[in-house]
Each structure stands twice: as structure tokens, then as C-alpha cells.
Amino acid sequence: MGPFCGLALNVLLILIRSPSPTRSAEPESNFVELRCGTRQFPNNVTRAVIYFTANMETISNKVQSNRFGISSTGSGSDKTYGLAQCYNYLSQVECDLCFSKLRTVGPLCYPNIGGRVYLDGCFLRVDDYAFFKEALGPTDHAICGNTTRYGSAFVVSVGKAVAAAVSQAEVNDGYGEGRESSSAYAMASCLRTLDAGGCRECLSNASASARWCLPWSEGRVDNTGCFLRYSYTNFLSSSSKGSRTLKILAIACSVAIVGLGSAVGVLLWKHNSIIQKRTKGMNKVSMKMASALSKSSLNFKYSTLVKATSSFDAANKLGEGGFGTVYKGVLADGREVAVKRLFMNNRHRVMDFFNEINIISSVEHKNLVRLLGCSLGLDSLLVYEYLPNMSLDRFIFDDQKGKELDWEKRFKIIVGTARGLSYLHENPKARIIHRDIKASNVLLDSKLLAKIADFGLARSFSEDKSHISTAVVGTLGYMAPEYVAHGQLTEKADVYSFGVLLLEIISGKQNCKSITSLCSESLLTLAWKHFQSGTVEDLIDPNIYGGHDMKPQILRTVHIAFLCTQESPSLRPSMSRALMMLMRTTEEPLPTPTDPPFTDEDTMELREVEGDSHHLLYENESSFVATLSHSTFYPR
């Protein structure tokens, strides 16, 4: 890892270790809508990305001082214009966080020209013409959220609140708020570039459009030149404006991403005066970071990775998860790399990015994927060694590719994974717990050597601690019961996940990992029934039998899997002990496992995590846009 990335992380961690108030969420940056243009850039997308980067850097400097900014970049047919604006009820810190999310969503429209991003607290538009004076457009419409319906009294209250907000906006520089009977709240805001007549016209149209959402409890109108929202919930007040945690993260983010795009190093030097003003007492740290970056050969330029991945072409995509997408890239010197593209859309993603850099750069083992560098630019990028066989799940859960892995190869993968986990748990500097061991996070090189990947959720703690209490994150079906129930994290949580993984490798079946899945019973439940009835052979994937009898070793591995998944963590073996049991001859007797836990997933409640609360955070692995939104909105 480059010195720049390490220094950025150290600054962030030092600040965050200090006690500070917590916050339940960032409602101002909830994703509402992404609306892309219909025309495509006449020239290559790489140039468009560079122009977008330049626009965002200019607007960023303005937003951080005025909560509003416009910009234009390029010339001729390549010229683009940008505008970003936060609503007045946000504090400056909240506006900075909201804008940091805007700039990660905008590029999703490429290669189309321009687009609009609507969040609950801010707005971004990029286009190829000067749109700043436009009040209305053909795509303007209402977006209704939360299908809860209220009675006529609520409808009347909304009408009064909206009227009050619009009236106030017409005499208050384009911004107004309305409250009625503590049950209806409204906000109206015009683009600062509109004149009074344009603002009045836009809000009049928005008021009429908002009625289509009634009597639903939420309604938004995202017009070309104005924004209007009503809600049953008071979204106009924030429980923690100015909280120290948010300030710290805003400072850390601005330090980390001030060098946006391919000109990151140059901009850090060029805008040193801006950095000093923005970060106050942290100017010396910023200079050290800039100096480290200029000398580092491991800190990749954003433009280098854009070129290596052909502008993150879908044809180069290797995989996608809840926290980002991985692309194959080829550097100028011919080296093949895997580029993990993370979208820094909230504080959890920021922490995951820095955490992964810190964890993976502190360890080195043949069964751990190797980090080659990082890039802090338009997106946050991690660069890893490229492993041609990709992840284990692509083999064992595929009827055809599963035939490529007989038992000898699968056992080699099992042993490699166990060795990697043993190294993490017994790391002399600090014990590291992965927290998300599953088949998709075990990668395979050209010789099918297993390498553990994805350390965004990993945690480390010193030997003098028996456990740490932390927020519960990971993937359902692989998490240990004591971790889900109490948030108590030890290395035995990884042991439990490893036991589930063993059963998947042996059976070729995937364990239920979603409460919305149609699985009648978990793999652990099914396997335990076979174990008790002496019919484990019925569980074994037919693809894994080789030319000689591996049955005793397979049955022994199933036995070890149940030892790893016992309900009590104290009864589970350590990873080094599990590895030893795997490597010993079949003559060594194994203890009898106790019953594994049987969790009724249908009763598990999914709520967003914050701070050290012990709620369950479900990892959505469907699409990026889905992960941005905390609520679902329906256009009408």
C-alpha cells in the first residue's frame, strides 16, 4: 500500500477513536432518483469522465463554502455544465456529506450526456448546455414514497404546509418551510440561478404535482428548477447537526478526496491554501499526505485505472456486491490487476474503504489476496492481484464448473482457507477477524490456490481482549449466533463461517443467506439430519469423487464442519486446531459435536447499523442503485 493511503487512514482512525456522539442515519443523503440524459457523448467516455471530474472539483470548492456551486468545463461539443445545491435545512457538514454522495452517483449515466441525481438533502445536474435558468422540463414529475395512507385531516394539513413553504420561498430567496399541526411538514426550494418569476412558475407547478401523491405520507416533486417535498415525518430537523463525528468524517473525506481524478497530486499542491482553510488545524497533515503521494509508486492515478479497465467497461466486470464492483484491468506494462471500485456514498463506505486498506496492508500470506495499491479519485479504488479463476462460488455452485473440482482439489482449497484464517487469528501484531467468510470471498489463482479476499468488514484487536462489541454486519447464513444476538465478536465467529463453508464445498449446495429466499431449510439443518441418521453420503456432491476412495476423509471433514458450527463458541475449535484436525490422519478420533444452532430466519429483523448498536445489517447483493436507497419511492 502506498504511504499516502496509509497516512490518510491513520489520520482518520486517530480522530475517530476519540469519544463522540453517534447518529442514527444520514437521512439527508437518502437516494431518491437518478435521471440520465438520452444522448451520448460524441467523443470517448474517458474524456467525459475527466471533464466530469474537473466540474466536480470546481463545484466541490464552492459547495464547501456556500452549499451551492456551478461550473463549466471543456469546449465545443465536449463542453459540459454542472450545478449542485444543498437545501437550506442542512448544516454545512451535512451538505458536504450529501455532496460527496452525489458525485459518486453521477458517473452511472455515462456514456450518456448528463444526468440528474436527487437526494433528500441535495441535488446535482450535469448537461452539455447552460441549463441554469430553466424552470420546467418535459421529465418533471412527482415521486411518491411510503404507501401509508392518512385521512382527510392529513391532506388538509399538507395543503397548508405546502402553501406556507411556497409562499415563504417566493419572498425568501427561493427557500421556504412549512409545518402544520405537528403532522405535516413541507419544504420548497428553487435553484439559486432562477429569477423570481422562474421560481414562482416552478413552485406553482410543483404544488399541483404534489397533490398526486396524497393521501400517501410522503411526496416529492423534482422539477428542473425547483424541489418540493412534504412528509408526515419532520425531516426539517436533525438530531445531531454539528456533531463531532460528522465533522471528523467531513474533514477526513475532504482531505482524502481533495485530489480528485488524474490530477490528484497536482491539485493537492495547487489548492494547498484551500486545504488549509477547509481543514483548519490539519494543514500540516495534508502537506505530508501530498508529499507522500508524490513519492509513492503504489498510489495509482485514477486516470491510469480508468484506462486499464476501459472506463470500467461492463465487459471487464468480474463481480459485484453490496459495497462495489470488481473489474479486470491491464496496466500499461502488461500486468493484469483486479480493480475494486467502491462508491463512497456514506460514512460506512468511507470506513470500509480505509479499513480494508489498513487490514490487508498489515498482513502478508500466500492464502490472502495481495493489495497492490489504491486510488482516491472520482471513486475510491483498491487494486489487487488478478486471480484468473476468480471466486470459489463460481465453481461449487455450478453444475458444469463443479466437475472441474474433484475432492483432492476441494480439500486443497479447504486447507488453504484454513491456513489463511489461522494466520489472521494468530497475527503477532493484532488478531484479525474477517467477519464475512463465504465462498464468494475465497478467490482461486491459476493453480487453484485459495486466497481470502474482501477485508472491508474485518476487525482487529489486541491479545489482551477476549472479544470486542461491535455492530453486526456480514451475510446471513454465515454469521455465528452469539455475534448476531449480542454483537460479541471473537475469532470463533470466523470458525463458525468456515464450518458452513466446509458443508457448501462438500455438498455443492449454497446455504440460505437471505430471509427472502425460498429455501425450505438451511444447509446446516439438512446436513445435521444426515449426520444424525448416518446418511452423510447422500449430502456429498457427486462431482468430488476422484479415482480413489476419499470417503473417510470427506466424512471426517463433515465431522469437523459440525465441530466448527456448534452453538457454543467455547466448544468450537480454534482455526489452528481445525487445521490440525484436517491434516491429521483419519485414525485420530474427533470429539462428538453438539447440536448446531437453528435460527428461524423469518423472525430476524433487518435494521440499519449505527455505531456500536447490535442490530443486523443485511448485505444487499442485487444492484448498486438498490444499495443507495433506504426507502423505496414510486413515480407517478
Side-chain angles (χ1 to χ4, degrees), residues 39 49 115 133 172 227 260 363 471 511 519 539 557 586 594 607:
R39 302 185 308 280
V49 171
K133 298 296 183 180
N172 189 36
F227 323 88
L260 193 64
V363 294
N511 193 35
C519 302
L539 182 73
T557 305
T586 58
T594 59
R607 289 179 286 178

Side-chain angles (χ1 to χ4, degrees), residues 377-621:
L378 190 61
D379 311 312
S380 294
L381 307 174
L382 296 171
V383 186
Y384 287 100
E385 59 177 322
Y386 172 68
L387 301 177
N389 282 313
M390 294 186 281
S391 56
L392 175 61
D393 63 317
R394 294 172 180 260
F395 287 87
I396 60 176
F397 302 139
D398 185 278
D399 291 338
Q400 295 303 315
K401 291 186 69 66
K403 297 176 181 178
E404 299 178 28
L405 297 183
D406 58 18
W407 172 247
E408 186 176 358
K409 293 175 181 176
R410 296 194 192 201
F411 188 71
K412 175 184 175 183
I413 292 169
I414 289 172
V415 170
T417 305
R419 283 175 173 160
L421 282 173
S422 297
Y423 172 80
L424 291 175
H425 293 176
E426 298 175 4
N427 185 19
K429 297 180 180 178
R431 287 183 291 168
I432 296 173
I433 302 175
H434 188 279
R435 288 208 296 180
D436 202 19
I437 293 298
K438 55 185 178 181
S440 60
N441 285 338
V442 176
L443 306 186
L444 306 175
D445 70 3
S446 59
K447 297 181 179 179
L448 297 178
L449 177 68
K451 292 177 178 281
I452 299 171
D454 200 343
F455 287 79
L457 302 182
R459 291 293 179 267
S460 63
F461 56 98
S462 58
E463 288 293 337
D464 59 348
K465 291 185 178 181
S466 61
H467 71 275
I468 57 175
S469 295
T470 182
V472 178
V473 295
T475 306
L476 284 173
Y478 301 87
M479 292 187 289
E482 76 281 358
Y483 178 45
V484 174
H486 307 295
Q488 291 189 349
L489 182 64
T490 71
E491 63 271 17
K492 295 300 181 69
D494 279 350
V495 175
Y496 181 92
S497 302
F498 178 73
V500 175
L501 178 61
L502 289 186
L503 294 176
E504 290 185 329
I505 293 174
I506 292 169
S507 67
K509 303 179 186 296
Q510 187 171 19
N511 193 35
C512 295
K513 64 176 183 177
S514 169
I515 63 169
T516 60
S517 68
L518 299 178
C519 302
S520 58
E521 60 183 352
S522 70
L523 176 60
L524 187 56
T525 302
L526 176 64
W528 182 249
K529 289 180 180 178
H530 281 299
F531 186 78
Q532 285 186 311
S533 61
T535 58
V536 171
E537 292 182 57
D538 295 339
L539 182 73
I540 299 173
D541 185 348
N543 291 324
I544 70 177
Y545 284 111
H548 53 286
D549 188 12
M550 293 292 183
K551 178 180 173 181
Q553 190 179 46
I554 295 173
L555 297 180
R556 181 180 174 86
T557 305
V558 171
H559 193 136
I560 295 171
F562 285 120
L563 292 175
C564 292
T565 54
Q566 295 177 99
E567 183 168 9
S568 173
S570 63
L571 296 178
R572 297 174 210 150
S574 65
M575 276 311 308
S576 58
R577 175 60 182 160
L579 176 60
M580 187 179 301
M581 289 190 292
L582 286 167
M583 299 302 293
R584 290 280 175 87
T585 65
T586 58
E587 297 176 357
E588 180 190 1
L590 296 174
T592 302
T594 59
D595 291 2
F598 300 108
T599 302
D600 181 4
E601 292 183 344
D602 291 333
T603 66
M604 298 179 77
E605 180 181 6
L606 302 184
R607 289 179 286 178
E608 185 177 352
V609 142
E610 179 66 25
D612 288 333
S613 61
H614 301 150
H615 305 317
L616 180 63
L617 176 63
Y618 174 56
E619 181 184 355
N620 184 342
E621 298 188 358

Side-chain angles (χ1 to χ4, degrees), residues 264-466:
V264 58
V266 175
L267 286 174
L268 276 169
W269 286 102
K270 182 178 179 181
H271 297 300
N272 179 48
S273 60
I274 298 175
I275 296 173
Q276 291 179 349
K277 180 179 179 181
R278 184 183 307 165
T279 62
K280 298 181 180 179
M282 295 182 64
N283 58 315
K284 294 182 179 180
V285 175
S286 302
M287 290 300 296
K288 290 181 180 179
M289 292 169 64
S291 176
L293 174 61
S294 65
K295 299 175 182 178
S296 172
S297 61
L298 296 180
N299 194 85
F300 288 85
K301 290 184 177 180
Y302 181 80
S303 58
T304 298
L305 299 179
V306 168
K307 184 176 181 180
T309 58
S310 299
S311 300
F312 303 106
D313 193 314
N316 291 324
K317 187 164 74 170
L318 299 176
E320 184 173 3
F323 299 120
T325 307
V326 181
Y327 297 85
K328 180 182 178 180
V330 180
L331 301 178
D333 60 6
R335 281 185 296 163
E336 293 181 323
V337 294
V339 181
K340 185 176 182 180
R341 187 186 193 191
L342 299 175
F343 296 96
M344 307 281 273
N345 51 63
N346 63 32
R347 287 179 294 163
H348 300 304
R349 300 297 185 264
V350 172
M351 286 303 299
D352 291 339
F353 173 75
F354 285 116
N355 186 70
E356 184 152 3
I357 293 174
N358 186 47
I359 293 292
I360 194 63
S361 64
S362 66
V363 294
E364 185 175 352
H365 190 272
K366 69 177 182 178
N367 294 114
L368 304 179
V369 69
R370 185 162 59 96
L371 179 70
L372 303 179
C374 65
S375 173
L376 296 170
L378 190 61
D379 311 312
S380 294
L381 307 174
L382 296 171
V383 186
Y384 287 100
E385 59 177 322
Y386 172 68
L387 301 177
N389 282 313
M390 294 186 281
S391 56
L392 175 61
D393 63 317
R394 294 172 180 260
F395 287 87
I396 60 176
F397 302 139
D398 185 278
D399 291 338
Q400 295 303 315
K401 291 186 69 66
K403 297 176 181 178
E404 299 178 28
L405 297 183
D406 58 18
W407 172 247
E408 186 176 358
K409 293 175 181 176
R410 296 194 192 201
F411 188 71
K412 175 184 175 183
I413 292 169
I414 289 172
V415 170
T417 305
R419 283 175 173 160
L421 282 173
S422 297
Y423 172 80
L424 291 175
H425 293 176
E426 298 175 4
N427 185 19
K429 297 180 180 178
R431 287 183 291 168
I432 296 173
I433 302 175
H434 188 279
R435 288 208 296 180
D436 202 19
I437 293 298
K438 55 185 178 181
S440 60
N441 285 338
V442 176
L443 306 186
L444 306 175
D445 70 3
S446 59
K447 297 181 179 179
L448 297 178
L449 177 68
K451 292 177 178 281
I452 299 171
D454 200 343
F455 287 79
L457 302 182
R459 291 293 179 267
S460 63
F461 56 98
S462 58
E463 288 293 337
D464 59 348
K465 291 185 178 181
S466 61

